[in-house]
Amino acid sequence: RKLPWVERLDMMNDPAPIAPELAYKEEEHSRLRQKQLVNSKSKNSIDEDVIHNDFKREMLFYRQAQSAVLEGIKRLQSMSVPTRRPDDYFAEMVKSDEHMQKIRQKLLTKQQDHERIEKIRKMRELKKYGKKVQVEVQQNRAKEKRQLMENVKKFRKGKIDDLDFLENGGGGGGEEKQNPHQNKKRANSKRQFKNDKFGFGGKKRGLKRNTKASADDISDYSSNRGPGGGKGGRKGQQRPNTKTGASKRFGKDRRKKMMNKNKKKK
């Protein structure tokens, strides 16, 4: 007690006024603790609650320290005692550089682990989103396929007169008939080659068989052809040699008569 006050720094003062945010926090804690007491069916009131009293006690310590600091700084400044260290103040650290490097490495490792976990979480979310999109695409394709099959059935039954739904990917038919094999999108060379070679699908067997319509069709018939189907007539008959000027071959009866005449002359 004989030492000056600067060495002792002892004070006797009342708690500082409570700040509005601290008062709101204390009131909120009291209301939450009262609900917990009601739910737990406790017989103690909020004033007799030990937990809430501890919170009030901590708040009182905080207010007491705040009041002491405010009053002590004023007294030190009145005595011309500096309360802030200068900008060029240098003090040796209590912890060594090696210890600080370990702390730094630990913090860096913790940050890397956090980034790795966050990256994995984002990858999982992207994977779930990609799977969801894939399922939606498959459902849309199945829906288009069902619509196409329904339109084909309607076309077979005569309910639809055109084949525009083949171009629209399974949509409804239009008003104007179009070639079902005509595709607006440009096909690649491989697809075009297969289309030219194999056609566009459908029935392939029996395409070259004769039908009543093909038998009645005589548009390809030519009168210049002989009865054997070729241009030269029958198989044993000689063609007239127009280049050398040779005559046509005589018939069998005429050849016999000519042979008989030659024999009589001899």
Side-chain angles (χ1 to χ4, degrees), residues 234 236-241 245-259 261-262:
R234 295 181 180 176
Q237 188 176 359
Q238 295 181 356
R239 294 182 60 186
N241 193 352
S247 61
K248 294 182 180 180
R249 184 180 182 184
F250 298 110
K252 190 173 182 181
D253 295 338
R254 190 169 181 181
R255 290 199 305 271
K256 284 184 179 182
K257 290 179 181 181
M258 292 175 65
M259 288 174 66
K261 286 181 180 182
N262 291 334

Side-chain angles (χ1 to χ4, degrees), residues 203-211:
K203 185 178 179 182
K204 300 291 190 302
R205 186 177 293 180
L207 292 178
K208 296 184 178 180
R209 291 181 182 177
N210 288 331
T211 59

